[in-house]
Every structure is written in structure tokens, then in C-alpha cells.
Amino acid sequence: MHKILLIIQREYTTRVQKKSFIILTLLMPVLMAAMMFLPGYLISMDDEQVRTVAVYDASSVFLGRMENSQFTKYKFIPKEEYQIVKQDIKNSSYYALLVIEPNFLTTKTVQVISGSNIPWDLKSQIQDKIQGVIEKDKMAEVVRQTAIPDLEQKIAATKTHINIDTIKVGLGGEAKKSSTEIGMVLGYIFGFMIYLFIFVYGTMVMQGVMEEKQSRIVEVIISSVRPFQLMMGKIVGIAFVGLTQFALWVILGVAIFSASKSFYPGTSHVQQIQNVMAQNQDTAQQVAAPQMDKIQEIFSMVDTINFPLLISCFIFFFIGGYLLYSSMFAAVGSAIDAQEDAQQFMLPITLPIILSIMVMMSAIKSPEGPIAFWFSIIPFTSPIVMMARIPFGVPAWQLILSMVLLVATFIGMVWITGKIYRTGILMYGKKPSWKEIGKWLTYKS
Amino acid sequence: MELFSTKEVSKTYASQQALTKVSISVEEGTIFGLLGPNGAGKTTLIRIINQITAPDSGSVWFDGRLLKTSDISQIGYLPEERGLYKKMKVGEQALYLGQLKGLSRRDAMKELKIWFEKFEITAWWDKKVMELSKGMQQKVQFICTVLHKPRLLIFDEPFSGFDPINADIVTQEILRMKKEGATIIFSTHNMESVEQLCDHIALIDKSKKILDGPTKHIREKYKSNIYDISYRGEFDSASNNIALKYNILSHQQNGNGNKLSIQYPEGSTSGELIRDLVEQVEIISFNEVIPSMNEVFIKVVKQNS
């Protein structure tokens, strides 16, 4: 027992001290934070290029009604100029040419000709403007025909935005406001994290085994400890590396979350986003208030998620899934001499992991469907799929069944892979076949 | 007194017979040479001694009882295929390997200090293994093998990778440890070092032990009535009755020292050979040729095939 602790300690310290580990651990939350903040920041940033769009309006509906916005100017041009510009848009002084045919109301299509791909922003701006003009005309027509007073205002008042509050009733009957979206996001994040951890740390185990085999230190070590101790010591040591990384991420994540919580509502940043929206949309005023509430609501709903359960399940399924897969990775590492040979044996390991991720995608959409259920019970896919279901709430019996099956499978798997490992690490010079690996299982230790 | 033995140990891998009923017995405080051509089964036997693999049948004995798991702290093993963690520091690694053999960190540190000073490698302590040359790594490995003062040492080609000076240092250390009571199993293809070091040898070929005994006796046993003689006087080996009666292997005549290598046939004796020679020439020296281990090895293995 003392020796396996020594091995765990060595596997752990040599990896945690590595520069790459420290850099990745610190950089990851920064990257994740960047992914959270960047879109908001980008929205607040305007496209500040001034563009002039030439408008050839054969229908004469729009003349004088295309208002310039801050960075986009509209210039109506006569037919003669249109024909010149049309020939050679690139060398003209216009960024784009908007062509409105007389029959555009029946085709419901206008053309924008440009020397480059026009920005999506500009396209939607033009679209909004044209639609706005036509709607206004149609509205005026209806108002004129029906002669109902204040019709325009009355129609505008029918526009309604509905919020759905999803209430989750707990075991004790207490009702909490929950969020399907947040459940999906968390399910995705946690499922994906298990996937990542199994892959990253499983591969690390494989490489550690190969390093020992290639450097030939393995024979020295297994004259001091049992091969099984060496294998488990390595697997457990690396698991601690993963848990350390996860713990650091949780700490950093909580720090970033609480920092942004105190920073988000009411700051100039949010205001800025809303101001931008106000500029672009007439309805902005109606949207802005709920938008504001929404951000605060997200924070309050994140608070209602059972994080202790989520994190302890994550740790359990991470360890369980990791042990199951890393022992297989260890067996592969022991069986081969060179990285190039790994492919053939990796496939049966990576296949269920990739399948898990695919199932997870559907599981976060329907966490109680039969696919989500079965794959969250079957041990090889359960760590990832179950993790994706947990934020939505999973019946205790399913959780326990899944956990028990996972533990039983990894014990069985470690027993099998231990046998492969013990023979594999001493085999040099040939790439074994599946058949041969099968024979190793029968060797006496 | 016997420290270690195997009794009729057999091992089969898939379709390949690695060991067939091999029994060896190693006396305490001696150096036991384990010889044999490549692929004969030596490594399998050594792995069984180290409990890396288990025999299919037969038993392994240590200190008068069956070998048990805890005995690995009393065994030191330097494998032929050996290495160290390349990215780990020398000192840290030696400490780790010492602790794996059951030493406390403090004892390991104390012993390492002595060894590092003796081998004059104290400056390497904080270097990464990958910065060392092959010979330097071998030195570190040797230290790691003997650090925990095992009662039984197993050296598989301990001199490979060493220059003559370092090989000599290691040889002296092996002899010193033997003097201090360590028992050593020594496997090598270098027959000169077998002659120099081994008290007893066993030769394994094609999974079976084909030769076993004290080094001296074995060489005696494989001598073939050949004598090296130097003499004064004239002697014509072509037209002489000695040439008819004996088998002359080589003959040199030049002024001051004439040399003759000669073999007498079965049934004759060295006395008869001397008597016949004295009649012809004046004998200066008369030495029986004892075969080198190299010759014994080749002869025995060839006979076995």
C-alpha cells in the first residue's frame, strides 16, 4: 500500500509541476470568460465604416424615404448613372447598388449588387428599411379604408412578448424557478467536460505507460512493485491531476462568476448594449426592460441550481468514467511499442466516447427520452450522458443504478486490462494482434 | 549455505517453451553465472526470480523457504533492458526507486549520498536524466540497483555501455559487495568476465539447463589433453615419430624460443608425452591448456544443437 502511494505521488507531482499544466489550468477559465464576454462586447462595438449605397428605384416608391443611418448613406441615382454603375460597380464611388424594379411588390425581391460580399448587418438594415416603408404604406392604406381612429396605435399595442417561468418542484414540495436553457447549457458544459477529461487524461495515462515501456524503466519498477500497483498508481495519480485542475477551475469560475455578478447589472456595459438596440429598433424600449430583468434572472436561476449535487455527481462520473476508460488506455499503451500503432487499438475506446457525445446532444434536448435514459444507464456512455441529464433532475433510482453499474464495470475492466497490461509492458519488438492480446488474459501472473 | 534455488521450474508462453524443469542452486556469498545464448530462457528465469512472472510449475526458494512477495526488498535487479524516466531529475529518481524498494526517504538519501560521492557524481543530482550520457545513466542505474543493500543481486549484462575504466570500477564494487556477504547472479555474454568473477555457472540452452558446476571444474572438465610446450633444440615435426603418435596443433621455431602446441590421444597420458619429448628436445616449460569459458560455451552449445 505504501508503494502505491509513492507511485501516485510521483505521477501527480511530476505532472502538476509541469509548465504546460499550470498554463492550461490558468488559461482555460480566461478563455471561457472571454467566450462569455466577447459576444456582448462585440455587439456594443459598431461597424464604423461609412458606406454609400446607390439606389436605383424604378418603382419610385422609395424616393426620398430611405433615411441615412449613422454609417450608411443612400443616394438615389437616375437611370443613366445606374447603367454606368451597373457595368462597373467596383470602380464606382458606391459600395453597393440597390436595384428596385417596378414590379418588386409582386416578386417581393430587390437586388443588391456589390463588388464584395456585403455585411450581414448592411443587408438586414436595407431589408428593415424597405419592409418598414412598405408596411407603413400598407398600414396607411388600411387606416384610410377602415377609417378607425388610432388604428395604428391599437395594432402596435397587440404586439406582446410572453415570458415563460419554468417552476421546478423539489422533493419537499418547494417550488423553485428553474430554467430549461440553463439546464441545457450546464448539461452541455458538464457532459462535455467529462468527455474532455476522459480524453485528455486517458491519453495521458496511455502516454505515461508508453513512456515507461519505451524508456525501459518498467522492468526495474516491476521488480519492486506489482504491475497492477504500477498501473493503478499511475491511473490514480493522474486522476488527482485532473481533479486538481477541475478544483482550480471551479475556484476560478466561482471567482469570475461572482465578480461578473456584481459587475453585470446596471453597468455601462449593459446600458451600452441596450443603447445600441435602441438605436436600431423602434421596439427597443419594450424589449429593454425585460432584457434587463432577464440578466438578473439568469443569475438568480443559476443560484437555484443544486451545485453541490451537480459537482459531486461530476466528480463521481468523472472518476468512474475516467477509471473505466483510462484502464483501457493503459492496456493499449502497454501493448504497443510506438505511438503510430495506437490507432488500431484506440478505435474501440474512442468509439463509445464519441457516441456518448452524440447522444448527449440529444439528451440535453429531451433528458427524459428513452435514448437519454438507456445511454445514461449503460456504463460506457453513462458518465457523459448522465452528466448532461443531471441539471434537469434525474430520479434517484436511475442515478444509483447508473453509478452501481459504472463501478461494477470499471472493476471488471480494471481486472481485464490489468492482465493485458502486465504482459504487454514486457513485450517488445512486435505489434500484437487482438488474438494475441486475448491470449495474454490467460497467462499466469 | 544455499541462499536461493529453483526446483524444476517450467514456463510456457503461448506456443513457446521458455523454461523446462530448470533447477539451480546459488550459495550465499558467491557469484553465480547464468549463461546461455540469446533466447535460451535466461531472462524468463530472471523474471521469475524477481517475481515479475510466475512459473507454470516448479518452485522458487529463498533463504530456506519458498520465495514470497516481501522478498523483493532483499533482491536487487539490474535488467539488461534498462532505463530511467528521462525527464525526471537524477536525485529525485534515485530516491524514488530506493523508496520503492522499501527504504525510507531518509535512509535512501543517506545511502545515495555515499554512493554519489564514491562514484564522484554528486554534481548530477539536479540534472535531468536526458542530459546524461548512456554511461552516466548506467552508473545511476547501478546505484539504484544496490542502494537498498539487497542480499541477492541480479545483474544482467552490467558492463554494457561502460568504458573500461568504469567497467573496472563496477567490477571492483561487485567484488566488494560479494566480500561483504552479498550473493550475486550474473548474466552476461562476456566470457572473460565470467572467468574473472563467477564461482559457479549454469548454462541454459533451448529452455533447458545443459551445464552446471563450479567454474573451475567445468573448465577442467572440458580440457582436451592439449599442452603448450616451449623447448630448446632442433625438432622436425614433419618427420618425427612424435608427429605420428600425437596431434600437433601448432609449431613455431625461431632462434631463442620454440613453441609447440600438442594434444595426446585418448589412452595416453601427460607423463608419456613428456617422456617422448624429452628424448628429442630440452623442455623449458610444459603447461596444460585449460579451455576458456568462451570455448566451453561454444563447444557445449554446439553439441546441444
Side-chain angles (χ1 to χ4, degrees), chain A residues 3 6-7 10 211-212 215-217 219-226 426 443-445, chain B residues 11 14 47 51-52 54-55 72 77 81-86 88 93 96 99-101:
Chain A
K3 285 178 184 171
L6 274 171
I7 296 168
R10 193 203 82 85
E211 183 203 352
E212 275 165 358
S215 72
R216 313 266 165 142
I217 193 174
E219 192 149 355
V220 175
I221 292 180
I222 58 170
S223 69
S224 304
V225 301
R226 321 249 84 221
L426 294 171
Y443 288 170
K444 207 172 154 191
S445 72
Chain B
K11 178 84 182 172
R47 282 177 179 171
Q51 304 182 61
I52 291 171
I72 48 179
Y77 172 37
E81 297 285 5
R82 52 192 171 240
L84 296 163
Y85 288 110
K86 289 194 172 59
M88 222 174 155
Q93 181 149 200
Y96 174 64
Q99 282 174 282
L100 280 187
K101 275 293 184 187

Side-chain angles (χ1 to χ4, degrees), chain A residues 317-336:
Chain A
F317 281 104
F318 161 60
I319 292 174
Y322 164 82
L323 284 177
L324 179 60
Y325 279 102
S326 63
S327 68
M328 294 195 276
F329 276 112
V332 170
S334 74
I336 55 174

Side-chain angles (χ1 to χ4, degrees), chain A residues 135-151:
Chain A
E135 278 170 18
K136 224 173 200 169
D137 284 357
K138 282 184 176 172
M139 181 72 83
E141 178 68 16
V142 173
V143 170
R144 194 183 56 79
Q145 281 175 3
T146 56
I148 299 169
D150 299 334
L151 181 65

Side-chain angles (χ1 to χ4, degrees), chain A residues 67-359:
Chain A
E67 287 161 28
N68 291 343
S69 62
Q70 201 176 350
F71 299 107
T72 313
K73 315 280 178 219
Y74 297 95
K75 187 172 179 250
F76 286 83
I77 54 171
K79 193 170 185 174
E80 301 78 50
E81 195 182 349
Y82 156 68
Q83 266 150 0
I84 299 163
V85 173
K86 195 185 172 185
Q87 296 303 318
D88 195 2
I89 183 84
K90 275 186 183 169
N91 291 326
S92 72
S93 57
Y94 304 111
Y95 178 78
L97 171 64
L98 170 62
V99 183
I100 303 166
E101 299 291 348
N103 64 341
F104 87 96
L105 270 176
T106 43
T107 60
K108 294 202 172 60
T109 307
V110 297
Q111 258 188 332
V112 176
I113 303 163
S114 177
S116 55
N117 281 327
I118 68 160
W120 181 83
D121 217 24
L122 180 65
K123 188 185 159 195
S124 61
Q125 227 183 86
I126 294 171
Q127 203 170 13
D128 285 350
K129 283 207 154 73
I130 291 176
Q131 281 172 6
V133 168
I134 294 164
E135 278 170 18
K136 224 173 200 169
D137 284 357
K138 282 184 176 172
M139 181 72 83
E141 178 68 16
V142 173
V143 170
R144 194 183 56 79
Q145 281 175 3
T146 56
I148 299 169
D150 299 334
L151 181 65
E152 213 166 329
Q153 284 79 6
K154 281 177 182 159
I155 289 173
T158 60
K159 281 191 180 166
T160 321
H161 182 83
I162 292 291
N163 294 313
I164 296 181
D165 284 345
T166 45
I167 311 288
K168 192 172 129 192
V169 182
L171 280 178
E174 78 278 27
K176 275 184 185 165
K177 224 175 187 189
S178 71
S179 162
T180 311
E181 288 80 10
I182 290 176
M184 280 176 76
V185 168
L186 283 176
Y188 182 81
I189 289 176
F190 277 92
F192 195 75
M193 260 201 340
I194 297 240
Y195 165 82
L196 207 69
F197 271 48
I198 287 175
F199 245 119
V200 170
Y201 291 102
T203 315
M204 203 180 266
V205 169
M206 186 177 84
Q207 263 154 1
V209 171
M210 280 172 60
E211 183 203 352
E212 275 165 358
K213 190 179 176 182
Q214 280 168 352
S215 72
R216 313 266 165 142
I217 193 174
V218 67
E219 192 149 355
V220 175
I221 292 180
I222 58 170
S223 69
S224 304
V225 301
R226 321 249 84 221
F228 187 72
Q229 285 177 308
L230 179 60
M231 182 176 104
M232 283 317 286
K234 181 177 289 297
I235 288 175
V236 173
I238 292 176
F240 278 117
V241 178
L243 288 175
T244 304
Q245 189 159 57
F246 177 68
L248 288 173
W249 284 351
V250 167
I251 292 166
L252 285 167
V254 167
I256 289 172
F257 179 72
S258 38
S260 59
K261 195 173 162 185
S262 60
F263 163 83
Y264 231 118
T267 59
S268 57
H269 203 78
V270 177
Q271 295 291 336
Q272 220 177 324
I273 296 170
Q274 286 162 8
N275 290 344
V276 172
M277 288 171 168
Q279 277 177 11
N280 292 343
Q281 286 172 296
D282 295 344
T283 52
Q285 280 319 107
Q286 294 169 331
V287 176
Q291 192 84 16
M292 186 74 181
D293 286 346
K294 188 110 195 165
I295 288 166
Q296 277 160 341
E297 212 174 285
I298 286 173
F299 281 115
S300 73
M301 276 190 274
V302 168
D303 283 340
T304 66
I305 297 266
N306 188 349
F307 275 105
L309 174 78
L310 199 60
I311 287 177
S312 40
C313 281
F314 175 80
I315 290 171
F316 180 90
F317 281 104
F318 161 60
I319 292 174
Y322 164 82
L323 284 177
L324 179 60
Y325 279 102
S326 63
S327 68
M328 294 195 276
F329 276 112
V332 170
S334 74
I336 55 174
D337 279 346
Q339 184 92 51
E340 301 88 78
D341 299 339
Q343 221 53 40
Q344 174 196 352
F345 298 108
M346 289 272 281
L347 195 68
I349 303 176
T350 50
L351 225 52
I353 307 181
I354 290 164
L355 179 68
S356 309
I357 269 289
M358 282 154 63
V359 172

Side-chain angles (χ1 to χ4, degrees), chain A residues 4-20:
Chain A
I4 199 166
L5 289 178
L6 274 171
I7 296 168
I8 292 170
Q9 191 189 17
R10 193 203 82 85
E11 298 293 338
Y12 179 76
T13 47
T14 52
R15 285 184 173 80
V16 171
Q17 285 167 357
K18 267 189 191 161
K19 277 195 204 95
S20 55

Side-chain angles (χ1 to χ4, degrees), chain A residues 19-37:
Chain A
K19 277 195 204 95
S20 55
F21 173 81
I22 297 166
I23 291 171
L24 187 72
T25 305
L26 294 179
L27 215 60
M28 204 62 176
V30 175
L31 284 175
M32 274 158 93
M35 277 164 68
M36 277 166 67
F37 288 120

